[in-house]
Amino acid sequence: MSPELQPGLRFAWQYTVPPRATVPQLYHDTPFCLDMPEVLATGYMVGMMELACVHGMMPFLDWPREQSLGTMVSFQHLAPTPPGMTLRIEGEVLEVEGKRVRFKVQAWDDQERICEGTHERCIIDPVRFNARVAKKLAAHGETGA
């Protein structure tokens, strides 16, 4: 991780909401969700907020040897967004402590602010991380669960 990844660093990212991101389409296998409004699902929005932070961090990481994983999200979903609108997501690094990076993040659609909150990511070595996952999968297979 570059020492330039410091509090105060700001970034922005844009993403156009696809139809697959709406509640009925994202949760198409859950019958009661099919009757819900065709708007951006909160779960998908959280993913977009995370990706904006990943995008903001990438210039400061030795990608792909250094990557990051989300470890905490705390967002308020303030307004609905129909598919086709473009999200503008802006973030700021609040704190860097070892491999942990904390962000303030906000998002707007074409008309209004739709989200605000904080997010935390941890920088990982993907080789070590994937070895840990493989070990967990192997143990799961041994139990027959």
Side-chain angles (χ1 to χ4, degrees), residues 126-138:
V127 173
R128 287 182 53 215
F129 185 86
N130 289 333
R132 182 176 171 196
V133 172
K135 184 177 177 181
K136 192 172 192 175
L137 279 171

Side-chain angles (χ1 to χ4, degrees), residues 11-14 46-58 89-91 103 105-106 119 121:
F11 55 88
W13 191 60
Q14 290 191 338
V46 167
M48 294 304 94
M49 302 296 275
E50 284 195 88
L51 288 180
C53 292
V54 171
H55 185 262
M57 291 177 76
M58 282 188 71
I89 304 169
E90 296 181 4
F103 302 89
V105 195
Q106 298 184 71
H119 177 46
R121 301 193 68 76

